[in-house]
Amino acid sequence: MPSTSTKTVSPLRVIIAFATVYLVWGSTYFFIRIAMQAGLPPFFLGAIRFTTAGLIMMGWCVFRKEKIFNKKDIITASITGVLLLFVATGIVIWSEQTLPSAMVAILVSSAPIWFVVLDKPHWSVNFRSTATIIGLIIGFGGVILLFSEQIGNIFKSADAQAKLPWMLLLVFGTISWSAGSLFSKSRKPTSSSTVNSAWQMLSAGLFFFPVSVLHGEYKGLHLQNIHPVGWMGLIYLIVFGSIAGFSAYVWLLQVRPATQVSTYAYVNPVIAVILGIFFAGEHISLTQISGLAVILLSVLLINLSKYRKEKKALELVNG
């Protein structure tokens, strides 16, 4: 996907990219769990996933004879990749060993709020948009409502206090994701977003390997004993979660407002819950249905606000 300005980008392409990030990333939680349950260690999984996806994308760029070696672009992409995929995603993987998935989903969904807080150059725009602020607050409230029953059980448990450091670590990971995304958006590369995504994934993959070794994940690891379902989950994460989903996200950051792109964090838990109902036989309560409705309302508010502003600006340009 080449770098494109907001003015010339195809609306259909934007819709497809949003649908990919919303739907595919919402399903990755499900496939990460499948891969890990099949015997793939978490950091080893991250290393193989991102390195393989990065090499495939880089190979495609070489085949298309794109310029892949630009020192400034590589440095920017490497910093972004480490912040997004190694630090943020790595913390999510690590914390899921201790925290319930409901708490992880809630803390990760705070990303849109951090996008607004950290995006200082656009404070004057974001904080003046009532619809955007209300949408962000409603969306986060919807995620809490969606997992409210699980939250109650978490704080009733005897080890609730021991989970606090992990929760704080997860907040740091979410801040790292938001900061990395804004850093990437503020430094538009000269190369295509495909090349940019490939370097980001390769840099993250290279960081995951030593962490996997330090955690002793290779001791007793026998790849032939991994269940075929685990390999299928890994392939899904490489093709759809990384090559399709992450590439769409990187491209969207270049052509759409950061607050609008960040709404993925509200939609992903919705998709995860729906997949759990249909494929894992999980039960959904009236409270959860209410949470889903509130989340979708918040996303509508945020997107509608951006659409109205763009339409008004276009009308002024056209006279």
Side-chain angles (χ1 to χ4, degrees), residues 17-18 133 135 155 218 254 286 297 319:
F18 265 113
I133 297 300
F155 286 105
Y218 293 95
Q254 298 301 325
L286 183 60
L297 173 63

Side-chain angles (χ1 to χ4, degrees), residues 25 29 79-96 99 103-115 118 164-182 208 246 249 264-265:
W25 272 5
Y29 292 101
I79 294 172
T80 304
V82 170
L83 289 173
L84 292 178
L85 302 175
F86 175 68
V87 177
T89 305
I91 286 175
V92 168
I93 294 172
W94 198 19
S95 62
E96 278 191 344
L99 292 178
M103 182 58 71
V104 173
I106 289 169
L107 293 174
V108 168
S109 71
S110 67
I113 297 173
W114 289 113
F115 267 86
L118 297 175
L164 182 59
W166 291 96
M167 293 166 65
L168 294 175
L169 183 64
L170 198 54
V171 170
F172 174 75
T174 306
I175 294 173
S176 175
W177 179 276
S178 303
S181 298
L182 292 171
F208 267 109
F246 187 70
Y249 178 76
Y264 80 89

Side-chain angles (χ1 to χ4, degrees), residues 44-286:
F44 176 78
L45 175 64
I48 298 298
R49 172 188 173 181
F50 293 121
T51 303
T52 304
L55 288 173
I56 291 173
M57 291 186 67
M58 195 63 76
W60 173 248
C61 293
V62 171
F63 175 76
R64 294 183 60 186
K65 297 181 179 179
E66 293 190 45
K67 184 180 179 181
I68 60 174
F69 293 107
N70 181 292
K71 185 178 179 180
K72 184 178 178 181
D73 289 349
I74 292 173
I75 292 173
T76 299
S78 297
I79 294 172
T80 304
V82 170
L83 289 173
L84 292 178
L85 302 175
F86 175 68
V87 177
T89 305
I91 286 175
V92 168
I93 294 172
W94 198 19
S95 62
E96 278 191 344
Q97 311 301 304
T98 304
L99 292 178
S101 57
M103 182 58 71
V104 173
I106 289 169
L107 293 174
V108 168
S109 71
S110 67
I113 297 173
W114 289 113
F115 267 86
V116 174
V117 172
L118 297 175
D119 194 10
K120 187 177 179 180
H122 294 93
W123 278 359
S124 58
V125 176
N126 293 330
F127 284 107
R128 286 181 182 177
S129 175
T130 305
T132 298
I133 297 300
I134 293 176
L136 290 171
I137 295 171
I138 289 176
F140 188 62
V143 176
I144 293 176
L145 184 62
L146 180 66
F147 296 106
S148 59
E149 295 170 358
Q150 291 95 320
I151 294 172
N153 294 331
I154 291 169
F155 286 105
K156 287 178 183 176
S157 62
D159 60 343
Q161 192 171 359
K163 293 174 181 176
L164 182 59
W166 291 96
M167 293 166 65
L168 294 175
L169 183 64
L170 198 54
V171 170
F172 174 75
T174 306
I175 294 173
S176 175
W177 179 276
S178 303
S181 298
L182 292 171
F183 175 79
S184 174
K185 185 174 179 61
S186 66
R187 289 165 173 78
K188 292 186 178 181
T190 56
S191 55
S192 71
S193 61
T194 307
V195 173
N196 191 32
S197 299
W199 280 119
Q200 288 184 31
M201 286 188 276
L202 284 172
S203 62
L206 291 175
F207 270 80
F208 267 109
F209 275 112
V211 173
S212 179
V213 173
L214 290 173
H215 272 257
E217 291 183 343
Y218 293 95
K219 295 177 181 178
L221 175 63
H222 301 289
L223 298 181
Q224 67 272 19
N225 294 334
I226 304 296
H227 195 280
V229 173
W231 295 117
M232 290 174 62
L234 175 59
I235 292 171
Y236 180 91
L237 291 170
I238 291 171
V239 176
F240 295 99
S242 296
I243 295 177
F246 187 70
S247 297
Y249 178 76
V250 170
W251 179 74
L252 280 172
L253 278 176
Q254 298 301 325
V255 301
R256 303 304 301 166
T259 50
Q260 189 179 34
V261 179
S262 70
T263 55
Y264 80 89
Y266 293 156
V267 180
N268 286 171
V270 175
I271 302 301
V273 168
I274 292 174
L275 284 174
I277 294 168
F278 284 101
F279 295 101
E282 295 178 1
H283 171 72
I284 185 168
S285 65
L286 183 60

